[in-house]
């Protein structure tokens, strides 16, 4: 995390109609006879989905009109002074809604404030699109001096710290802590399992373990550093989902022989990659990603293909165990299932 000439820029979305990246999408136009709604729909491009209060007023919608638009579901007030189109908001996943809240913060504060705050902690994690588990929904920013009134409200958390330019990148027009700095900040403020999920994902998309360990070594007695160091000792970017991360860590806690991760097995259906495999015992462990905690939802085709691969593995002489989220909260039962499978050759 050494100094550099300036923040690196990353673009993940295109921008049109003067909207920040991530807030541009064709809106669904509902049938209506309400003259106010008709006037609202005619006033803006269907690709525009966010407004400041002042922009709505400039278009002829006073406070009373905006209140009626909110009541009609045409717009939603997400934070003080900023609104989004209702149909657009309802179409978003939870993680996408969280990123939109950050974009609205940038709109509302005009993130070119004199103090030049940087999005950090879980807000930076959301902008980097890292996996988060049970994380808070505040907007987190870091700046080098006392918080400014424009950046601070009840939904904003301000962190004061000196930050070298090497710890800052620019993503979709927002200044954000770098991937490694984001991991460090989150590990210092999260519990162990939350931080491990995030760190596995960061390593998978390119975070440098060397930089993370260097940062940890420089923190000495900093609050949360023990969690950071424990996470770095146990993190593994080969885990491809939060469920796989928690499963791998639970196996460690249960003192079960460490399996191979992402192990390729040849079957009559072609090569199949198991989440976890005890090769000598020919036991594969799969984590079922269907969950209410994250955005992932398998299609019927995906479920069908998983079933075909499982049958092929069994035909090839493998035992296949499947885990669901509930299994992660009953460690003794899980350990018994795995040990029975591992000892089947005895």
């Amino acid at each position: 995390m050494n100094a550099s000439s300036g923040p690196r820029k990353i673009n993940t979305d295109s921008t049109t109609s003067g909207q920040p990246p991530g807030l541009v999408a064709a809106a669904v136009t509902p049938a209506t006879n309400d003259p106010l709604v008709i006037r609202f729909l005619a006033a803006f491009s269907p690709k525009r989905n966010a407004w400041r209060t002042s922009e709505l007023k400039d278009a002829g919608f006073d406070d009373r009109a905006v209140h009626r638009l909110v009541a009609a579901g045409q717009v939603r007030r997400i934070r003080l002074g900023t609104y989004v189109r209702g149909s657009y908001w309802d179409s978003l996943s939870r993680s996408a809604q969280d990123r939109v809240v950050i974009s609205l913060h940038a709109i509302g504060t005009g993130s070119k404030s004199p103090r030049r705050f940087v999005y950090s902690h879980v807000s930076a994690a959301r902008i980097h699109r890292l996996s988060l588990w049970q994380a808070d929904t505040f907007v987190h920013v870091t700046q080098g001096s006392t918080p400014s009134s424009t950046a601070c409200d009840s939904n904003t958390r301000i962190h004061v710290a000196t930050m070298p330019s090497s710890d800052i990148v620019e993503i979709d027009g927002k200044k954000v802590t770098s991937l490694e700095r984001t991991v460090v900040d989150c590990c210092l403020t999260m519990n162990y399992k939350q931080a491990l999920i995030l760190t596995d994902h960061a390593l998978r998309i390119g975070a440098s373990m060397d930089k993370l360990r260097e940062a940890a070594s420089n923190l000495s007695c900093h609050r949360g550093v023990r969690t950071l160091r424990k996470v770095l000792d146990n993190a593994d970017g080969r885990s491809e989902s939060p469920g796989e991360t928690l499963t791998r860590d639970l196996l460690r806690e249960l003192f079960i022989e460490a399996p191979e991760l992402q192990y390729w097995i040849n079957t009559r259906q072609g090569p199949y990659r198991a989440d976890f495999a005890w090769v000598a015992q020919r036991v594969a462990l799969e984590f079922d990603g269907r969950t209410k905690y994250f955005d992932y939802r398998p299609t019927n085709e995906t479920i069908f293909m998983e079933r075909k691969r499982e049958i092929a593995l069994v035909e090839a002489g493998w035992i296949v165990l499947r885990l669901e989220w509930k299994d992660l909260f009953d460690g003794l039962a899980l350990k018994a299932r795995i040990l029975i499978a591992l000892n089947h050759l005895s």
Side-chain angles (χ1 to χ4, degrees):
M1 298 185 182
N2 299 321
S4 64
S5 58
R8 179 167 54 91
K9 295 185 179 181
I10 302 171
N11 291 314
T12 62
D13 296 285
S14 59
T15 307
T16 61
S17 306
Q19 293 285 279
L23 289 175
V24 181
V28 177
T29 304
T32 179
N33 294 320
D34 186 330
L36 176 64
V37 172
I38 293 172
R39 183 161 64 88
F40 170 74
L41 295 175
F44 301 103
S45 163
K47 291 186 176 181
R48 179 160 193 179
N49 291 304
W51 300 267
R52 296 187 183 92
T53 302
S54 59
E55 293 172 321
L56 292 171
K57 286 185 177 180
D58 290 345
F61 300 95
D62 59 17
D63 291 342
R64 182 178 178 185
V66 171
H67 181 76
R68 285 178 55 197
L69 289 170
V70 170
Q74 290 299 314
V75 297
R76 290 200 181 195
R77 180 179 178 272
I78 305 302
R79 67 183 307 275
L80 182 64
T82 53
Y83 296 83
V84 296
R85 194 184 297 270
S87 59
Y88 169 72
W89 179 260
D90 292 339
S91 72
L92 299 174
S93 66
R94 176 59 187 271
S95 59
Q97 288 178 346
D98 289 336
R99 289 194 296 273
V100 165
V101 169
I102 299 169
S103 291
L104 294 176
H105 178 273
I107 291 174
T109 59
S111 63
K112 295 180 180 178
S113 74
R115 299 189 186 278
R116 298 192 182 281
F117 60 79
V118 176
Y119 290 104
S120 63
H121 297 76
V122 296
S123 294
R126 290 187 168 106
I127 295 172
H128 282 289
R129 289 171 167 74
L130 294 175
S131 294
L132 290 169
W133 186 45
Q134 299 179 345
D136 70 63
T137 57
F138 296 112
V139 174
H140 290 259
V141 300
T142 294
Q143 56 191 51
S145 56
T146 305
S148 64
S149 59
T150 59
C152 188
D153 59 28
S154 61
N155 295 315
T156 304
R157 292 295 178 266
I158 308 292
H159 307 268
V160 178
T162 301
M163 192 173 300
S165 59
S166 58
D167 283 359
I168 303 171
V169 298
E170 188 173 307
I171 301 177
D172 299 333
K174 304 179 194 70
K175 286 186 170 57
V176 185
T177 50
S178 67
L179 193 55
E180 290 82 10
R181 176 63 184 254
T182 299
V183 169
V184 171
D185 286 343
C186 287
C187 286
L188 294 175
T189 53
M190 288 178 164
N191 67 44
Y192 167 73
K193 291 189 182 297
Q194 289 175 317
L196 186 64
I197 287 171
L198 178 142
T199 304
D200 274 3
H201 194 179
L203 291 172
R204 188 163 72 250
I205 64 174
S208 167
M209 178 60 85
D210 289 342
K211 290 182 179 179
L212 293 173
R213 290 198 181 280
E214 180 184 359
S217 67
N218 292 332
L219 288 171
S220 62
C221 297
H222 196 288
R223 181 179 180 182
V225 72
R226 297 174 85 175
T227 298
L228 171 61
R229 289 172 179 164
K230 182 180 179 182
V231 166
L232 297 184
D233 285 342
N234 294 315
D236 193 321
R238 290 177 296 171
S239 290
E240 295 185 340
S241 72
E244 289 182 30
T245 293
L246 295 178
T247 299
R248 189 190 76 243
D249 199 60
L250 182 57
L251 295 177
R252 178 190 62 81
E253 291 177 347
L254 295 173
F255 299 101
I256 293 175
E257 174 190 346
E260 297 284 341
L261 304 185
Q262 311 304 334
Y263 184 77
W264 286 100
I265 303 169
N266 290 319
T267 75
R268 68 177 180 82
Q269 293 288 342
Y272 170 68
R273 190 175 61 172
D275 296 338
F276 307 91
W278 290 270
V279 180
Q281 296 91 342
R282 299 181 77 79
V283 174
L285 179 65
E286 291 288 278
F287 184 83
D288 189 340
R290 284 167 285 185
T291 170
K292 65 183 180 180
Y293 298 110
F294 298 90
D295 292 338
Y296 171 71
R297 297 289 186 278
T299 63
N300 289 335
E301 181 181 0
T302 299
I303 296 171
F304 174 71
M305 293 304 295
E306 286 178 351
R307 180 58 180 160
K308 285 185 65 176
R309 287 192 293 267
E310 182 174 331
I311 292 172
L313 279 173
V314 172
E315 290 177 349
W318 285 76
I319 292 176
V320 180
L321 301 178
R322 286 200 171 273
L323 269 63
E324 300 177 2
W325 276 95
K326 63 181 181 180
D327 297 314
L328 298 179
F329 303 99
D330 190 353
L332 293 179
L334 174 61
K335 184 173 185 177
R337 285 178 61 196
I338 294 174
L339 291 181
I340 289 171
L342 292 179
N343 291 326
H344 77 284
L345 296 177
S346 300

